[in-house]
Amino acid sequence: MEAFDITAILITLAALFGYLNYRFLKLPTTIAIMLMSLVVALLIILFGSSSGFITTAATKIVSGIDFNEVLMEGMLCFLLFAGALHVNLNDLANQKFVILLMATVGVLISTAIVGFASYYLFQALSLNIPLIHCLLFGALISPTDPVAVLGILKQAGVPKSLETKITGESLFNDGVGVVVFITILKVATHQEELSAQLILHEFTVEALGGIAFGLALGALGFYLLKSIDNYQVEVLITLAVVTGGYSLAMALHISGPLAMVVAGLMIGNHGRALAMSQTTRKRLDVFWELVDEVLNAVLFVLIGLELLIIQWTPTALVAGLIAIPLVLTARLIAVSTPVSILRFFRSFDPGTIRMLTWGGLRGGISVALVLALPQGPERDLFLTITYIVVIFSIAVQGLTLNRLAKAIKKETSPS
């Protein structure tokens, strides 16, 4: 099937599910679209067995979509830029130490905990998975997904400082998580020997290189925006920053996600204040909000339909269900460690650790990373486990985040 036909199907489904949700369900849009996609996939699996053509055709369409390429080399640059565009830099600066520690140390702590715990879990289930591959699973499941987080936080009633922490961490830790994933993958596939030199090289070139490139990209975009006053051309400039900048970052083997976040923050703050007219700001905001909403909808349709290509086995299902509390426990430790350290120097809102733990949603990035693994039994197992964790994260954690925020607010409000 041609790429245009697949795109048409995905957009049509996203529009239909979005309409049905708006009319009847009234759930957060991204969650509703994913849940309806899951239902459609389940119906195809259950009732398509009587007509093998339906199941075969649907599975062929979904398996023909390279999820990793679509997200990591396509949608992600737009989604990260759009997300960063509306983050206040001053708010982010006020939470910089928390965000920095959670996006770096937190990711490493979570990777180690999930990696070692899953190794013993697999041993208990008679699955002979090497430790280095378990650490690889820890790396791909540890980053919180900015796409899932930003979409749901818009409708969750969390305090501003907490929203900034969750948003800022999710924007930065996916870039760090990808670097950790690539480093461990090189060791697991025997491309490199694990060493301090390898770790330092990957973080210096990928992470710091991506940040530096994002600063340069943002500065160039700012200069171009400031030198003209024509909103059509200025929207095109931001599109060029995203598409051209991300493509060049990938070619240079530096972190494209981090580059997009930094460029988006610069243009969304300094660019918005100093380089745009009121008309341009309004048009630019509307354009990128639409891009964000449309791509989010298509992405969550894709996540739901991925159910069709998952290889379900009883062992993988059990491992996936056990992995949910395992990943949440790792998240709790990864969050509480930096927060506990920083409590000596600053105060935190009540319920911060609970909100950061429960609000650390996993999403498309984890699915994309697991699909980037080489073919093999570990990949099929990790895909099933990751999918279960992601569905729980978005559907259960995402739907109850607002309730948790209200419960914490009620606990802390004077009687």
Side-chain angles (χ1 to χ4, degrees):
M1 184 173 284
E2 297 294 330
F4 180 81
D5 297 325
I6 294 174
T7 304
I9 291 170
L10 293 175
I11 291 177
T12 301
L13 287 174
L16 174 62
F17 296 158
Y19 173 81
L20 292 174
N21 176 60
Y22 185 83
R23 285 295 306 274
F24 305 110
L25 299 180
K26 312 295 184 183
L27 295 174
T29 305
T30 50
I31 297 177
I33 286 176
M34 187 198 72
L35 291 176
M36 282 189 270
S37 299
L38 282 172
V39 170
V40 168
L42 281 171
L43 290 175
I44 291 173
I45 293 170
L46 294 174
F47 297 104
S49 56
S50 59
S51 173
F53 171 76
I54 297 175
T55 306
T56 303
T59 303
K60 185 177 180 181
I61 292 171
V62 176
S63 60
I65 302 170
D66 189 331
F67 190 98
N68 178 268
E69 184 177 341
V70 168
L71 178 59
M72 301 301 289
E73 299 179 20
M75 291 184 180
L76 189 61
C77 58
F78 297 98
L79 292 167
L80 287 177
F81 183 85
L85 202 63
H86 299 98
V87 175
N88 186 287
L89 201 56
N90 291 328
D91 293 340
L92 205 63
N94 290 336
Q95 309 294 336
K96 57 183 179 293
F97 294 116
V98 185
I99 292 169
L100 177 64
L101 283 176
M102 288 195 300
T104 53
V105 176
V107 169
L108 294 173
I109 290 173
S110 178
T111 298
I113 293 173
V114 173
F116 281 98
S118 61
Y119 174 75
Y120 292 108
L121 169 63
F122 297 146
Q123 293 291 317
L125 294 172
S126 301
L127 297 169
N128 188 25
I129 308 295
L131 177 59
I132 190 66
H133 287 88
C134 296
L135 289 170
L136 196 58
F137 171 66
L140 68 88
I141 204 66
S142 291
T144 56
D145 191 333
V147 179
V149 171
L150 293 173
I152 292 166
L153 277 182
K154 291 176 184 176
Q155 300 181 8
V158 300
K160 184 65 179 176
S161 60
L162 262 177
E163 182 183 342
T164 302
K165 291 183 185 76
I166 297 172
T167 301
E169 182 208 3
S170 67
L171 285 171
F172 283 100
N173 76 359
D174 68 300
V176 175
V178 170
V179 173
V180 175
F181 174 82
I182 292 171
T183 304
I184 298 176
L185 181 61
K186 287 182 178 180
V187 177
T189 54
H190 308 292
Q191 298 177 45
E192 300 275 358
E193 292 291 332
L194 183 60
S195 64
Q197 183 180 359
L198 172 64
I199 296 170
L200 182 62
H201 176 269
E202 291 296 329
F203 270 91
T204 303
V205 174
E206 285 270 348
L208 297 182
I211 292 172
F213 184 72
L215 287 170
L217 204 59
L220 175 62
F222 174 81
Y223 172 77
L224 294 174
L225 292 170
K226 189 175 175 61
S227 62
I228 62 170
D229 184 14
N230 181 291
Y231 75 84
Q232 295 98 329
V233 178
E234 290 177 82
V235 168
L236 277 174
I237 289 171
T238 59
L239 273 173
V241 166
V242 174
T243 55
Y246 195 81
S247 180
L248 183 55
M250 301 301 282
L252 295 173
H253 300 291
I254 56 180
S255 176
L258 286 175
M260 289 303 99
V261 170
V262 173
L265 287 171
M266 286 189 66
I267 291 175
N269 286 269
H270 300 305
R272 187 191 302 275
L274 304 173
M276 299 179 194
S277 66
Q278 184 63 36
T279 300
T280 298
R281 281 194 288 270
K282 183 178 178 180
R283 303 281 184 168
L284 197 73
D285 284 345
V286 170
F287 174 80
W288 280 105
E289 283 172 10
L290 282 173
V291 169
D292 189 38
E293 292 295 333
V294 170
L295 291 183
N296 256 305
V298 172
L299 176 59
F300 279 83
V301 167
L302 262 177
I303 291 175
L305 294 180
E306 285 290 312
L307 179 69
L308 290 168
I309 62 170
I310 302 293
Q311 301 297 317
W312 296 100
T313 65
T315 304
L317 182 60
V318 170
L321 294 174
I322 296 174
I324 292 172
L326 190 158
V327 170
L328 281 172
T329 301
R331 171 69 180 172
L332 173 62
I333 297 170
V335 164
S336 59
T337 301
V339 170
S340 298
I341 293 171
L342 291 173
R343 279 194 195 278
F344 292 105
F345 308 100
R346 52 168 299 168
S347 60
F348 286 88
D349 292 316
T352 292
I353 291 177
R354 276 183 288 168
M355 280 298 301
L356 289 173
T357 300
W358 201 245
L361 307 183
R362 273 67 178 185
I365 287 176
S366 292
V367 177
L369 289 178
V370 75
L371 288 171
L373 293 173
Q375 290 290 343
E378 291 92 352
R379 182 182 185 270
D380 293 336
L381 174 66
F382 291 168
L383 177 57
T384 305
I385 297 172
T386 300
Y387 196 77
I388 291 171
V389 172
V390 167
I391 295 303
F392 176 88
S393 177
I394 296 172
V396 179
Q397 292 174 236
L399 282 176
T400 56
L401 192 60
N402 194 22
R403 295 181 186 178
L404 177 60
K406 289 179 179 177
I408 292 172
K409 185 177 181 181
K410 187 177 180 180
E411 289 174 11
T412 56
S413 59
S415 307

